[in-house]
Amino acid sequence: MKNAFADSLHETFERFGRIDIRRMFSGFGIYHEGRMFALVIRDTLYLKSDAESAMHFDRLNLPPFIYERQGKQMPMSYREAPPELFEDREEAALWGRRAFEAALRSGTVPKAARKAAAAKKAAAKKAPARKVAAKKTAAKKTVPAKKVRKAAPR
């Protein structure tokens, strides 16, 4: 990693658990157990939020990350992290758990799981179809029925 701020997050979230930092677009995605729970853009940390965790961010007036797309302002479900998080490892762990739980509730499947599912599906398509052996049934010998002539009425 070539960003001192993003690299420092390993220490910040040490009590929360192991994190992975991956370069993305103009920033970094912060992952825990394969799920992105935070975002770093221009040396600002944003944490995943949702309807359940929004009150914690609202109480501190923490704004969402907003990007511009085709001239429109697009707010994301990531909110600016509180400054106290960088001073107190327990506070960082608390906010990290909130953000991770929001990521879990979002229902998005981790990238590794999506890749594994896609690989499994591709392998299933490539595998030759197994031929099911047809049951051999013994041919029944049929004896032609004897023709019975009806006697002509007298």
Side-chain angles (χ1 to χ4, degrees):
M1 201 77 40
K2 294 182 181 180
N3 182 290
F5 178 74
D7 285 341
S8 73
L9 296 176
H10 289 288
E11 188 177 322
T12 301
F13 288 112
E14 68 185 358
R15 294 201 180 140
F16 169 60
R18 185 175 186 277
I19 64 168
D20 295 308
I21 301 172
R22 300 181 198 153
R23 185 103 173 104
M24 58 178 280
F25 308 114
S26 61
F28 300 90
I30 313 302
Y31 294 79
H32 177 68
E33 296 182 4
R35 292 191 187 260
M36 188 169 146
F37 76 97
L39 174 69
V40 172
I41 301 289
R42 292 180 289 283
D43 289 345
T44 301
L45 177 66
Y46 296 90
L47 300 171
K48 180 78 172 162
S49 69
D50 65 1
E52 283 189 46
S53 64
M55 66 182 158
H56 301 290
F57 294 94
D58 292 342
R59 186 170 27 99
L60 299 173
N61 295 318
L62 298 168
F65 171 67
I66 299 173
Y67 70 97
E68 195 168 311
R69 182 178 188 178
Q70 298 176 345
K72 291 183 180 180
Q73 298 278 319
M74 307 294 286
M76 290 186 68
S77 61
Y78 290 85
R79 306 273 297 261
E80 194 171 317
E84 307 84 58
L85 172 141
F86 300 101
E87 306 301 321
D88 182 349
R89 299 295 178 253
E90 290 301 322
E91 193 74 9
L94 171 67
W95 282 93
R97 276 191 298 279
R98 284 177 182 156
F100 183 67
E101 288 168 2
L104 289 173
R105 286 189 296 267
S106 74
T108 47
V109 179
K111 192 174 185 178
R114 286 194 310 261
K115 282 185 177 178
K120 186 176 179 181
K121 190 174 182 180
K125 283 184 177 179
K126 288 180 182 177
R130 286 195 245 168
K131 293 183 179 180
V132 178
K135 284 187 176 181
K136 292 184 180 180
T137 55
K140 293 182 182 178
K141 291 185 178 179
T142 55
V143 178
K146 291 183 181 179
K147 293 184 179 179
V148 180
R149 283 194 175 169
K150 289 187 179 176
R154 293 189 190 197

